[in-house]
Amino acid sequence: MGALEKIAEIEREMARTQKNKATEYHLGLLKGKIARLRAELLEVKSSGPKGEGFDVKRSGDARVALIGFPSVGKSTLLSTMTETESAVSSVDFTTLAATPGRWEYNGAIIQLLDLPGILEGASQGIGRGKQVVSTARTADLIVMMLDATKSHLQRPLLEKELEAVGIRLNKRPPNIYFKVKTGGGISYNAIVKQSVLNEKFVYNLLHQYRIFNAEVLVREDVTIDDFIDVVVGGRIHLPCLYVYNKIDAITIEEIDKIAREDHTIVVSIEKDLNMDTLKHTIWEYLSLLRVYTKRHGEYPDFSEGLILRTGATVEDACRAIHKTLLDSFKYALVWGKSAKHNPQRAGLTHPLSNDDVIEIVRK
């Protein structure tokens, strides 16, 4: 029996099992078995066929993956926001390979990646879906394109396919310390009261994975799925923006209902409705900030700034300018939101804010 058949059999057993407090432990172990089998499926074999057309070189300051079912408007969005001509048609599967596009916004160069439409069962290889969802793992942001005229089933189906390949949407990694050791048995400690996880489950799940010596420290109330993710590893936590297209074909009441959902934007690409909001929201979800530089005795250069990640420090700015700048760094003068007074003398660990101005003083 292959891995896919085993997964299907376990899923049928889970569907037959009544969900309550008494069965939580059993269902958790079944989830662990499914996660292990899916991890085996995701292992790339060197002898396997390559995903032709999916190996796109990363470029720019960030990468955004456009993912969705066929004919929802991914190629139209790419052609609208970039100068890239992607095949556009009302026929399904017009796009057969990953198509990159270059989009400039707020001084940043963002790579948009138009991925072919996927089908249910994509994570198992149906319709080249395995390559599509695996390519999505390399992105900084997932833009999930959805058809507002169709049922709400699209969204959970796509989320299920991404979950199956280890992509966690709009979630942060669980605060669990886990380390496999060479001896000493299993040490389990929870500094916060757990509503679901318990020592018995931790021991049995680790034994299921042939782990008999490990240290586990749980720092927050977590779910069984969270702990399985930590043990299996290889999970990617990405922000996701749900974009409902074709709102010009539905009623105002339906638009209002969809727009109130979390992480959701409603647009009509063909009618150019709400596109500016979409662009600004993508920028916010990428968590980028722009910092300007200036030379001593001169005005700042506002024509071109440094594009950094939110939380970046003066050290990151120095590396972005030139990696050898750190060798002669003395201090920095910072103007802007991050400065207590203008200018503020700062060291390498000073956190920067959007639209800050920075001057590097050398030794």
Side-chain angles (χ1 to χ4, degrees), residues 7 31 154 318 344:
I7 290 173
K31 288 179 181 179
Q154 283 189 344
C318 290
Q344 178 183 339

Side-chain angles (χ1 to χ4, degrees), residues 342-361:
N342 291 315
Q344 178 183 339
R345 180 168 169 165
L348 290 173
T349 58
H350 177 82
L352 298 170
S353 298
N354 193 40
D355 292 333
D356 275 359
V357 175
I358 183 173
E359 177 187 330
I360 306 297
V361 180

Side-chain angles (χ1 to χ4, degrees), residues 332-346:
L333 295 175
V334 181
W335 291 260
K337 296 178 182 177
S338 70
K340 295 180 180 178
H341 47 80
N342 291 315
Q344 178 183 339
R345 180 168 169 165

Side-chain angles (χ1 to χ4, degrees), residues 29-49:
L29 292 179
L30 292 178
K31 288 179 181 179
K33 289 181 180 179
I34 289 178
R36 180 165 52 84
L37 291 169
R38 281 179 175 162
E40 292 175 3
L41 285 174
L42 290 175
E43 289 179 2
V44 180
K45 298 180 180 178
S46 57
S47 59

Side-chain angles (χ1 to χ4, degrees), residues 273-322:
L273 297 176
N274 212 28
M275 291 300 293
D276 288 338
T277 303
L278 172 61
K279 294 174 183 178
H280 180 69
T281 307
I282 289 175
W283 167 264
E284 288 185 334
Y285 270 63
L286 284 171
S287 298
L288 297 176
L289 58 88
R290 181 176 47 185
V291 176
Y292 300 101
T293 59
K294 72 178 291 293
R295 295 179 182 273
H296 181 67
E298 298 181 9
Y299 288 107
D301 180 13
F302 290 112
S303 62
E304 186 176 352
L306 300 174
I307 303 299
L308 304 170
R309 296 284 176 184
T310 297
T313 61
V314 171
E315 182 178 357
D316 296 318
C318 290
R319 292 185 189 278
I321 297 169
H322 200 279

